[in-house]
Amino acid sequence: MIRVKADPGRRPRHALGAVSGLVAACAGLATAELAAVAVRPEASPVTAVGAAVVDRTPAALKEWAIRQFGTADKLVLTLGIVAALAAFAIAAGLLAVRHRPAGIALAAAFGPVGAAAALSRPEAAWTDALPSLAGGTAAAGVLYLLVTALHRPGPVSGAAGSEGMDRRGFGRLVVGAVALSAGAGYAGRRLGAFGSAGATASRADLVLPPPAVPAPPVPAGADLRLPGLSRFVTPNRSFYRVDTALVVPRVDADTWRLRIHGDGVTRPLTLGLRELLARPLVEHDITLTCVSNEVGGPYAGNARWLGVPLADLLREAGVRPPSQGGPADQLVARSVDGMTLGTPVETVLDGREALLAVGMNGEPLPFHHGFPVRMVVPGLYGYVSACKWLRELRLTTFAAYDAYWVRRSWAPRAPVKTQSRIDTPRPSAELGPGRVAVAGVAWAQHRGIARVEVRVDEGRWREARLGEADGSDTWRQWVWPWEAVPGRHTLEVRATDGTGAVQTAERAGTVPDGATGLHAVSVSVSGR
């Protein structure tokens, strides 16, 4: 039996090849991030690839990600892309050790892949490809230098006559590449922050005018102030966020413009923020709900919004609803990042408080929630009504154009469904016997909540006490006193809206137009 003597330098060389690939990838990413400063943040390869992945992910998988990771879904996606890039880089480094041109070509492919992803975005310009191409070139160049050092003869311990490698030179190259990458990355972050400083300053300097039509005070009995119950007004920092933006757009209020045009628009409008704020502003309390909200889920929140009535602007532009002979039945809102949402024109003009909002709970909109201007339309799920970072309103028809989410299997029209939720006690809570406050919230925007009922272990429905109503566009709190007895119990809740319609018990998922079913919570009551 013939034994082949192992090459003592092979394993170290492959390990250093993997290191070379990772260092080259870091150099490529840092270069691309620095180059993206001169283009736009959305052109950076990680952001571009992430956005392309979001665009092409099936609706069911997106819903799963939201359920599993909540508002951390974007972070998880970003980490996943970085992990995939690391594996790609290691493969390129290992290949380069065995076949230098092939490995370097694989590293260079980083550029075209990122460029293609960037160019696939709705608002892409040809310049969006440049950061990824620059990054791919840098990665290929760094990998070439490192692998060349690995193949260069030099002092090394091992078998007599084995090919050596210049480990000292290799180490110097690694340290230099890492230092340059860190510097480029730091510069990119600093310059990126400087580039958004104008937007940050414009928000800090913005003083919102007082509303011409202020909202009445929230009724004293609207907030039941019970432990574990959602606050009636959701603080901005706690308000849910569900969108596809991996990088939150930071729009300079001084340069922002809104264009209103399209079918049936006889007087197109282009407005800056100052012109918008010069108009009479109204204040209104509105609960927003995401269509991705599962039964009993957290993606609902209530806030006081300040803005310009959207119907007034549309009528000023000459828009008429279809019921009055208008040619357009869809209002397409476009965000600065290219996101499109389609809203029924008839709904916007039916008298409800549809707003172009500039304020949220007494302050300018936070960047995460659409600064400087967003849409808010009570009674519709956010994906057909609540466009953030708004820049364009175009009148068209549902037959002529499918907005972003409609092209991904969601319904074109999506009125909010009547829902109720148990906030306390929490699922699997361990309770003592005696009186327990079962409490939560219920919503049916633009219809209001007329009644909430609770039952235990599929028994009789018992009517809960409602908090005071703050109009028909906000949720209502409710509470029901339960005399808990020892054992395992299931609590269920249902609501009746202002039209008399009772919340359906039929279970349905979020796709295509919102979840249905009754929220249930199982708890244990001790015998003591």
Side-chain angles (χ1 to χ4, degrees), residues 47-71:
T47 301
V49 171
V53 169
V54 170
D55 286 349
R56 289 159 181 77
T57 299
L61 185 54
K62 287 180 183 176
E63 290 302 295
W64 177 86
I66 291 173
R67 288 196 302 272
Q68 296 299 314
F69 307 114
T71 54

Side-chain angles (χ1 to χ4, degrees), residues 85-357:
L85 177 61
F88 186 86
I90 290 172
L94 293 174
L95 180 60
V97 169
R98 300 180 61 186
H99 192 281
R100 201 180 322 181
I104 292 167
L106 185 60
F110 166 89
V113 170
L119 293 175
S120 72
R121 302 297 297 141
E123 298 297 295
W126 69 269
T127 53
D128 287 357
L130 298 180
S132 291
L133 295 176
T137 302
V142 169
L143 184 59
Y144 172 81
L145 291 175
L146 293 175
V147 174
T148 299
L150 286 180
H151 287 84
R152 186 180 300 133
V156 62
S157 62
S162 65
E163 182 186 358
M165 69 177 80
D166 184 2
R167 289 186 181 176
R168 184 174 297 176
F170 176 80
R172 286 196 296 265
L173 283 174
V174 167
V175 171
V178 169
L180 287 174
S181 299
Y186 178 76
R189 285 198 170 266
R190 294 295 298 173
L191 290 172
F194 178 78
S196 65
T200 303
S202 71
R203 182 180 182 276
D205 294 341
L206 182 61
V207 177
L208 296 175
V213 183
V218 174
D223 196 335
L224 299 176
R225 301 184 182 278
L226 296 172
L229 179 61
S230 300
R231 293 174 60 177
F232 182 77
V233 176
T234 309
N236 291 353
R237 65 181 180 278
S238 304
F239 208 95
Y240 76 91
R241 178 196 165 203
V242 177
D243 55 51
T244 64
L246 296 184
V247 175
V248 175
R250 288 183 171 259
V251 182
D252 192 323
D254 296 328
T255 60
W256 175 85
R257 295 291 182 273
L258 172 67
R259 183 185 178 206
I260 302 176
H261 65 111
D263 300 342
V265 175
T266 58
R267 295 177 294 278
L269 298 175
T270 300
L271 302 167
L273 187 60
R274 290 184 183 276
E275 296 166 284
L276 199 66
L277 294 179
R279 294 167 176 266
L281 303 182
V282 300
E283 205 174 41
H284 196 61
D285 295 342
I286 300 171
T287 295
L288 298 187
T289 312
C290 180
V291 74
S292 297
N293 201 43
E294 294 281 348
V295 172
Y299 301 129
N302 185 49
R304 175 158 291 188
W305 306 92
L306 175 71
V308 174
L310 178 54
D312 291 353
L313 278 175
L314 295 182
R315 291 193 179 96
E316 183 178 326
V319 176
R320 291 175 296 150
S323 61
Q324 297 177 15
D329 62 1
Q330 180 179 204
L331 176 67
V332 175
R334 186 178 295 272
S335 168
V336 299
D337 67 350
M339 172 59 66
T340 55
L341 284 72
T343 309
V345 174
E346 197 76 47
T347 299
V348 173
L349 297 177
D350 71 359
R352 71 187 68 202
E353 291 284 357
L355 300 176
L356 292 188

Side-chain angles (χ1 to χ4, degrees), residues 224 435-440 449-456 459-467 476-483 492-497 502:
L224 299 176
R435 178 157 292 196
V436 173
V438 181
I449 294 294
R451 184 167 65 252
V452 170
E453 298 166 289
V454 182
R455 70 177 178 182
V456 181
R460 230 179 102 198
W461 287 104
R462 308 281 184 172
E463 188 165 353
R465 177 171 68 88
L466 292 174
R476 291 186 77 174
Q477 295 184 347
W478 57 267
V479 61
W480 177 67
W482 173 40
E483 293 296 335
E492 288 179 289
V493 62
R494 72 178 183 185
T496 301
D497 70 19
V502 179

